[in-house]
Every structure is written in C-alpha cells, then in structure tokens.
Amino acid sequence: MKVADYLLKITPYEGGKPIEELQRELGLVDVIKLASNENPLGPSKKVIETICKIAVNVNLYPDGNAYYLTQKLAKHLGVSDKNLIFGNGSDEIIELLYKAFATNQNDEILYCYPTFIEYRIIGMAFNKKIIELPLKDFAYDIDNLIEHINENTRIIFINTPNNPTGTLTGLDDILKIINKASKDTLIVIDEAYYEYAKPSTHYKELLDLYKKENVIILRTFSKAYALAGLRIGYGIANEFIIQTLNRVRPPFNVNIVAQAAAIAALDDKEHLKKSIQTNEEGKQFLYEQFNKLNLFYVPTFANFILFSTPIDASIVYENLLKEGVIVRSMKPYGYNNFLRVTVGTQKENEIFIQKLKKVLHV
Ligand SMILES: *Cc1c(COP(=O)(O)O)cnc(C)c1O
C-alpha cells in the first residue's frame, strides 16, 4: 500500500495510560489515574440513571441533529439553536474545522506550543503548513502570534486555559488577535476547561465573540461534566460557520447515549458545582504540597497542574507507574523536566503526593 509521505510523519496521539492497562502490565490492583484531566468524582447520578433508561433505545439511530440537546444547550447558553454544533468529542469538531475551512494548498495553521497536540496531529493529516510558536512564561505569546499572522493564515487555535500549562489568554489578547486577522482567518477559542476557569474570565464578553464572522468557541462535556468516555463536545459560532460545518459532518456523529447524558449533565448543576469545588480544594492542597517539596509548578486555571521534577521526569513518571499512579509525561511536548497531574479527589491527591515523595526519596 502506498501512503502519503505527510501521513508517515505523524506520531499517533498518545493519551494517558488506561488504568486496566497498567493493572495488566504490572499486576497492580490499586491504580489511580491523574493523567487525562477527567473528573475524579465520576458522572452525576442523574446521568447514570439517564444512561440506564436510554439503553433500551440503542437499536435506534441517534437524532442526527441532536434536537433536544441543542434546544437545551441553546437555552442554557443564551444563544440560538442555529449557533450550535455537536461533535464526537470536541476533537471531532477540530477535524471538521480543518475539513471545512483549511481547503487551500497554501493555508497556514497558527498557534503557540505546547498546547493541545490534536491541532498538530489533525493538521498534519490534512497536510497543512503548521506554524508553532513558543509559549512565553508558559502562556500564549500574543505579540509574537500577531506578528506571524499573514494572508495565508487560515486557522488560529487559542487554547484557554491552555493544556498542558493551565494558563489563560485574556479577552483583550483574544480581541487583538481577532482585530489583526483577516475575515478569512478562523479564530478557534478552545475552552475545554471553561467551567473551571469561568470565574477568572470575562466569560460573558468572551461567549459573545461567537457572533463574529470568523470565530468559533469550542467546549466539551468531557472535563467538568465528566462524560469523557461518551465523546461529546460542541462548538458555538455564527449560523454560516455552523451550516458550513454541517456540510462536512458525518450524519450520526454524536451517539444516542451521549446526547441523553449531556442533557442530564446540564440539569445537574449541583454535581458541576461540587466538581469545581473539589478541583479548587485539590488545587490548593497540591500547591501547598509542591511548595513544601520545593517543586516548581505553573499556577493553573484548569483541573491539571504542570510541575517540574528535580530529576529526569521520565524516571519519575515510570516509578510513579510502578507505585500505581498514572500522571502525564510531557515528553511529546518537549518538556523533559515536567509532568502534568490532574487534580483528583482529596484521597487521590494524598496518594499522589505520598508516592511522589517516595519516588523522589524525600
Ligand atoms: C480534552 C481537550 C479537548 C477535547 O476533548 P473532547 O473529549 O474531544 O471533547 C479539546 N481541547 C483541549 C485543550 C483539551 O484538553
């Protein structure tokens, strides 16, 4: 089989190690995973009940237009149903954006890096020219980004809070980018961690950017809403962008269980509140512990913390695995002295710190 050279250059996405895999490989029983920014509380009870009820309907195709979920979310956000698109995870929407809007040979994709690595992987699959600029103090470097905008820039990805550093890009900086870019450049604001960062952002003004001609906001049910395994995310944009994306969207991309579960998740405001509160408390606990251990970390607006290790991070990573603790290696991002840990439950955070101390011999 002949395969295009540009595809052979892709390194497939490597997610956090699944719990069962580590149990299988090392014969461990007690394993905690703080590697993929999942909600450590699990899904809401209302979601679980809903999933059980919808199970009898899985012989049916889902509603390809996700009618009830669209109505529900539109009301929740205060936007029109015509401003929403759902994807099989917001990952899928990123792919749809490339498919719909980066269709010219010379198109360039622009963002700061390290950031969400899917922008790169999907861009490479579409054989796009990708411009990755370094972060500055672990955050998007807006001045440099703006300097690199040109007539070929087709998509700009702004990930705020930025995965894996947890830093925010503020409204003013986003506006600077929008003002510099042409109307044919799509500005993607990826707010996968929106619910955690909300109190620290101009969230109303930021949401209003969806009305612009060339902006889409991406959010997901995978993180704070605790539905990562069901794969459902959404985009908010003007009607023309949504219509264009619908032209290239597979017909039944969001499954029937995910649609029902997302409605239930939106209804359970208590669970969301508790999730955000658990994250706040866990963050403070981990900050204190990192301070005590004299470990550098980047203050986060999300549910994960990037921290540095005094010895080779891959050794710390491997030794934590042997102790039944899965965190995220930052090697693929070129951060060889850093690890990323997801904020867990208090119990998980304590185990993580205890095992980290053991591995670091402190
Ligand atoms: C987790 C994450 C997503 C994707 O989430 P889905 O599960 O595909 O909805 C998108 N962007 C960033 C920055 C993420 O961290």
Side-chain angles (χ1 to χ4, degrees):
M1 283 294 296
K2 234 185 194 165
V3 172
D5 283 343
Y6 64 86
L7 292 181
L8 296 174
K9 289 187 193 136
I10 298 176
T11 309
Y13 181 80
E14 202 180 323
K17 195 185 232 342
I19 291 175
E20 289 84 358
E21 188 178 303
L22 185 62
Q23 288 171 327
R24 216 164 46 232
E25 286 175 359
L26 297 183
L28 295 173
V29 181
D30 294 328
V31 169
I32 60 170
K33 183 183 177 207
L34 300 173
S36 301
N37 308 336
E38 294 143 335
N39 184 329
L41 300 183
S44 129
K45 288 208 173 56
K46 288 184 180 142
V47 164
I48 296 169
E49 281 166 22
T50 302
I51 291 174
C52 291
K53 277 193 205 138
I54 199 79
V56 297
N57 284 345
V58 298
N59 58 316
L60 304 173
Y61 280 100
D63 173 0
N65 297 317
Y67 178 81
Y68 290 108
L69 175 58
T70 305
Q71 297 305 315
K72 176 106 202 164
L73 185 63
K75 202 165 159 219
H76 176 79
L77 295 172
V79 304
S80 149
D81 52 0
K82 296 184 175 62
N83 297 122
L84 292 175
I85 184 160
F86 291 89
N88 187 24
S90 47
D91 277 3
E92 188 192 31
I93 302 178
I94 297 169
E95 188 168 340
L96 299 182
L97 294 174
Y98 272 101
K99 227 169 152 180
F101 299 108
T103 50
N104 302 313
Q105 182 94 57
N106 298 327
D107 287 346
E108 294 182 10
I109 311 301
L110 181 63
Y111 52 85
C112 293
Y113 191 84
T115 188
F116 191 47
I117 208 159
E118 282 290 281
Y119 310 149
R120 175 197 284 180
I121 293 176
I122 299 172
M124 289 175 79
F126 282 89
N127 199 19
K128 292 297 140 193
K129 182 171 175 191
I130 298 167
I131 315 289
E132 295 181 345
L133 306 171
L135 297 177
K136 189 175 161 193
D137 298 330
F138 299 99
Y140 260 59
D141 182 349
I142 303 307
D143 293 336
N144 194 27
L145 190 83
I146 284 173
E147 267 179 42
H148 283 80
I149 296 174
N150 64 42
E151 67 276 12
N152 290 326
T153 307
R154 202 56 53 228
I155 303 179
I156 300 175
F157 287 102
I158 307 168
N159 182 201
T160 177
N162 185 50
N163 177 7
T165 57
T167 50
L168 279 184
T169 299
L171 178 67
D172 292 349
D173 283 336
I174 294 173
L175 285 172
K176 273 192 214 165
I177 296 166
I178 294 173
N179 290 336
K180 175 71 195 287
S182 98
K183 294 287 172 276
D184 290 321
T185 302
L186 182 68
I187 318 288
V188 182
I189 307 171
D190 182 347
E191 291 194 300
Y193 302 93
Y194 163 76
E195 294 81 8
Y196 296 111
K198 185 178 165 186
S200 314
T201 60
H202 295 87
Y203 61 94
K204 284 204 182 73
E205 292 90 335
L206 227 147
L207 175 61
D208 269 345
L209 296 178
Y210 82 88
K211 293 173 187 162
K212 301 252 179 201
E213 217 175 307
N214 56 337
V215 170
I216 185 165
I217 296 167
L218 300 184
R219 292 186 190 161
T220 181
F221 285 95
S222 295
K223 308 285 161 54
Y225 283 106
L227 301 184
L230 286 179
R231 314 303 305 123
I232 176 163
Y234 60 94
I236 316 161
N238 73 60
E239 201 175 329
F240 180 74
I241 290 181
I242 299 296
Q243 281 171 356
T244 308
L245 291 171
N246 273 324
R247 293 201 158 95
V248 296
R249 179 175 65 83
F252 302 112
N253 61 327
V254 179
N255 71 73
I256 197 168
V257 181
Q259 290 185 30
I263 292 173
L266 285 170
D267 272 333
D268 195 341
K269 296 195 169 63
E270 270 312 303
H271 189 69
L272 179 68
K273 203 171 142 194
K274 197 169 156 205
S275 303
I276 294 166
Q277 194 185 333
T278 302
N279 186 60
E280 272 311 307
E281 289 163 8
K283 241 167 70 172
Q284 297 309 327
F285 172 78
L286 290 173
Y287 286 171
E288 280 166 30
Q289 299 299 315
F290 287 145
N291 285 336
K292 277 190 196 159
L293 292 170
N294 224 350
L295 296 180
F296 172 83
Y297 62 87
V298 182
T300 185
F301 289 91
N303 65 339
F304 53 83
I305 305 176
L306 184 75
F307 69 99
S308 83
T309 54
I311 57 171
D312 186 345
S314 51
I315 295 171
V316 179
Y317 172 77
E318 291 295 332
N319 287 338
L320 280 173
L321 286 183
K322 288 178 195 152
E323 297 291 331
V325 176
I326 310 170
V327 295
R328 194 62 158 267
S329 162
M330 288 290 104
K331 239 193 183 133
Y333 298 88
Y335 280 156
N336 292 333
N337 290 315
F338 286 87
L339 294 172
R340 192 194 69 195
V341 65
T342 302
V343 179
T345 59
Q346 182 59 23
K347 178 117 188 284
E348 288 171 330
N349 297 334
E350 284 168 13
I351 294 170
F352 160 67
I353 290 295
Q354 180 205 337
K355 302 296 187 186
L356 182 66
K357 283 180 180 167
K358 184 171 174 192
V359 165
L360 295 176
H361 307 290
V362 291

